[in-house]
Amino acid sequence: MSFSRSELRDLGIAWLALGVAFTLFIDRALVDLVARGARPPAALALALAVSLATVGVAFLLHELAHKVVAVRFGQVAAFKADYGMLFLAVMSALAGFLFAAPGAVVHRGRITARENGLIALAGPVTNVGLAAVFLPLFLLDLPGLLGLIGGRGLSINLLLAGFNMIPYGPLDGRKVLRWSKPVYVATAVPTVLLALYALVGLGL
């Protein structure tokens, strides 16, 4: 599997832009304190690092999972960033809400409905796997930075998995449903329920 220079650039910019957007949205109080000089800029840099390590990693591995499976099925696949939507993500975070659609893996070639469904399913399944990786840090209820990374990593991966299983528009769930209703139900029901739990019970 190979990556072009433009694809690596798109992945890097999308990763950074999402990290900035989520930091502005989740850590708004900290941003205000740093802007007023009440907290050092290093505190904001640390908050950005947490977002990059949780939200950024969740996004990157979600998209790379799509690419890995697409290439496995003989597709020509590459991530394409949507710079307009990345700009909107940062601006919306500044305005107090968040809308993030950073781009997608575009693939082409002869493909069956099953293969297309599996390519789509790879992203949410990867996020569920990442949630399992962050879960021990969350359960240990560690103080400070590790506890924050554990909780946020768990929440964001569950939210990303569940959101992407909604069968609407370009989201992964629509492609999975088009391939197989039983597979869709078996994967969408638990991921959406876990996402709701993360939203209501865990937060960000």
Side-chain angles (χ1 to χ4, degrees), residues 69-84:
V69 178
V71 171
R72 171 67 179 80
F73 289 136
Q75 298 284 288
V76 177
F79 175 77
K80 301 286 186 184
D82 187 327
Y83 288 98

Side-chain angles (χ1 to χ4, degrees), residues 2-184:
S2 61
F3 295 86
S4 68
R5 187 171 299 177
S6 62
E7 184 181 12
L8 290 173
R9 179 200 64 210
D10 278 9
L11 284 166
I13 292 174
W15 177 54
L16 181 60
L18 282 178
V20 169
F22 272 82
T23 301
L24 292 172
F25 178 69
I26 298 172
D27 298 300
R28 173 170 293 275
L30 175 61
V31 173
D32 291 340
L33 288 171
V34 172
R36 296 201 304 267
R39 291 288 299 275
L44 188 57
L46 183 60
L48 175 59
V50 170
S51 289
L52 291 173
T54 54
V55 179
V57 168
F59 152 73
L60 278 178
L61 294 186
H62 177 105
E63 294 301 332
L64 289 177
H66 288 317
K67 175 166 178 165
V68 167
V69 178
V71 171
R72 171 67 179 80
F73 289 136
Q75 298 284 288
V76 177
F79 175 77
K80 301 286 186 184
D82 187 327
Y83 288 98
M85 296 305 291
L86 287 172
F87 178 77
L88 178 60
V90 175
M91 291 299 102
S92 67
L94 283 170
F97 66 99
L98 187 59
F99 183 82
V105 168
V106 178
H107 55 90
R108 65 182 187 274
R110 293 176 62 87
I111 197 169
T112 66
R114 174 181 175 275
E115 290 169 343
N116 200 38
L118 288 171
I119 291 169
L121 191 59
V125 167
T126 296
N127 289 124
V128 172
L130 282 170
V133 171
F134 284 105
L135 180 60
L137 287 176
F138 171 74
L139 292 177
L140 288 171
D141 196 22
L142 298 171
L145 185 60
L146 286 178
L148 177 60
I149 290 174
R152 189 169 296 177
L154 176 63
S155 294
I156 197 65
N157 277 287
L158 291 178
L159 287 169
L160 193 55
F163 176 75
N164 273 281
M165 287 306 296
I166 297 172
Y168 178 78
L171 295 176
D172 299 324
R174 186 174 184 181
K175 298 170 187 175
V176 176
L177 180 60
R178 192 176 297 161
W179 158 46
S180 170
K181 288 183 181 178
V183 172
Y184 175 77

